[in-house]
Amino acid sequence: MKKVVVILKSESENSDNYGALLEKHGFEPVFIPTLDFSFKNLEVLRDRLLSPYKYSGLIFTSPRSITAVRDALRGQKLKDDWKTLENYSVGETSRDLIQRSLNLDTKGHHSGNASNLADFIKTDLYNKTVTMPFLFPCGNLKQDVLQNKLSEYGYSLDSVEVYETVPHRDLERNLVALFRSAEDASKDRTIDSLLFFSPSGINYCAHVFEKHRLDLTGKRIIAIGPSTKKAIENKGITVHRTAEKPSPDYVVGALLQDT
């Protein structure tokens, strides 16, 4: 019997990395695009990006914010003055994308989530004089953890909402089809685990589960990060394991704990 691991995340270039590592450990990965995004306020963001002297640096907590900066620049290079500032990001994938698309180095990529990043920034800036705000391109569903913690530590954010998060147009159809297929004993495959990467992802999926009465019994629920774990539990769903960082190694490590 093949053990299907359902990867519920937005479409991104690192999805293949998850699939390859899962297959290596005997799982059958099934990627279901969960979120889609529409960009906005790019002219506002562009104006901010042209004035690095007003900021202490840039902070990125999602791949979409990187795309927004790239698109706002309209093919121009990011001003070199940003390179001398204090720039931060969450996740190795985001750090690499920032280097490739913006030619900018960032710190804190190993932190794994916004809360840990805020703690890292506090430590990193110890004994440094930082008086200007950080430019923070973000989405409409951003959590307040980063802003609240940095404010507590004496730093401020200039947040620019640059994208809206919506459910992927095929999410409902793909989820229902997958569950129906897994119910067919002749297919010799069963859904072993579902991986949720964001609070918005579980919120949209939970609506589909309820609407179509899709049964989660016997399926391991894996949360990526503490905020996703909390969102899943708020839906009354038990979280079996939490991967502390959004990376293939951490996800596979969480899956293998029960096998």
Side-chain angles (χ1 to χ4, degrees):
M1 182 74 73
K2 291 182 179 179
K3 291 185 175 181
V4 172
V5 174
V6 187
I7 306 170
L8 294 151
K9 67 191 299 289
S10 61
E11 292 181 274
S12 66
E13 59 189 27
N14 72 327
S15 296
D16 288 344
N17 297 339
Y18 286 93
L21 196 56
L22 286 167
E23 287 179 347
K24 180 180 177 181
H25 288 277
F27 296 104
E28 179 188 344
V30 174
F31 172 56
I32 293 186
T34 308
L35 307 176
D36 213 343
F37 308 94
S38 58
F39 291 92
K40 62 180 183 179
N41 295 330
L42 295 189
E43 284 300 319
V44 176
L45 178 59
R46 178 179 171 81
D47 288 342
R48 305 286 206 280
L49 292 170
L50 294 176
S51 305
Y53 60 90
K54 294 181 179 179
Y55 295 99
S56 293
L58 272 159
I59 297 179
F60 298 93
T61 58
S62 77
R64 273 73 58 191
S65 60
I66 304 165
T67 301
V69 168
R70 184 199 65 195
D71 291 352
L73 291 171
R74 297 188 219 143
Q76 293 181 316
K77 292 172 59 177
L78 186 68
K79 281 181 170 288
D80 284 342
D81 289 348
W82 285 104
K83 296 180 180 179
T84 65
L85 302 180
E86 308 291 344
N87 303 299
Y88 301 94
S89 65
V90 172
E92 295 178 11
T93 300
S94 290
R95 178 201 59 180
D96 294 344
L97 182 59
I98 294 164
Q99 287 178 330
R100 290 198 308 272
S101 60
L102 303 177
N103 192 27
L104 184 72
D105 290 326
T106 55
K107 298 175 286 186
H109 57 275
H110 58 278
S111 55
N113 59 62
S115 179
N116 291 343
L117 179 63
D119 293 337
F120 173 83
I121 291 173
K122 177 188 178 183
T123 302
D124 187 59
L125 295 179
Y126 184 71
N127 277 343
K128 294 181 183 179
T129 302
V130 175
T131 57
M132 308 296 277
F134 288 91
L135 180 56
F136 179 45
C138 59
N140 62 312
L141 299 180
K142 73 174 177 65
Q143 306 287 312
D144 292 328
V145 174
L146 181 69
Q147 183 157 343
N148 291 343
K149 268 200 163 185
L150 286 181
S151 177
E152 178 186 331
Y153 296 153
Y155 307 112
S156 62
L157 291 179
D158 179 9
S159 302
V160 182
E161 196 171 288
V162 292
Y163 65 89
E164 299 267 358
T165 303
V166 296
H168 192 277
R169 61 188 178 280
D170 296 325
L171 173 62
E172 183 173 354
R173 178 171 58 84
N174 289 339
L175 261 182
V176 172
L178 176 64
F179 271 73
R180 297 290 182 256
S181 172
E183 290 171 358
D184 185 349
S186 66
K187 295 292 180 68
D188 193 34
R189 64 206 297 258
T190 182
I191 298 174
D192 176 82
S193 308
L194 294 96
L195 310 182
F196 292 97
F197 284 74
S198 68
S200 51
I202 179 59
N203 290 339
Y204 295 139
C205 289
H207 172 72
V208 178
F209 297 151
E210 294 165 11
K211 178 180 177 181
H212 295 276
R213 299 183 180 180
L214 303 181
D215 188 8
L216 297 179
T217 303
K219 298 167 179 57
R220 296 187 297 165
I221 306 300
I222 310 296
I224 283 66
S227 60
T228 302
K229 178 179 185 288
K230 182 178 179 181
I232 295 171
E233 291 175 338
N234 286 343
K235 293 293 182 183
I237 300 172
T238 300
V239 175
H240 291 75
R241 291 282 181 253
T242 302
E244 294 304 321
K245 297 182 181 181
S247 76
D249 287 333
Y250 275 82
V251 167
V252 170
L255 283 168
L256 293 177
Q257 285 185 54
D258 290 329
T259 58

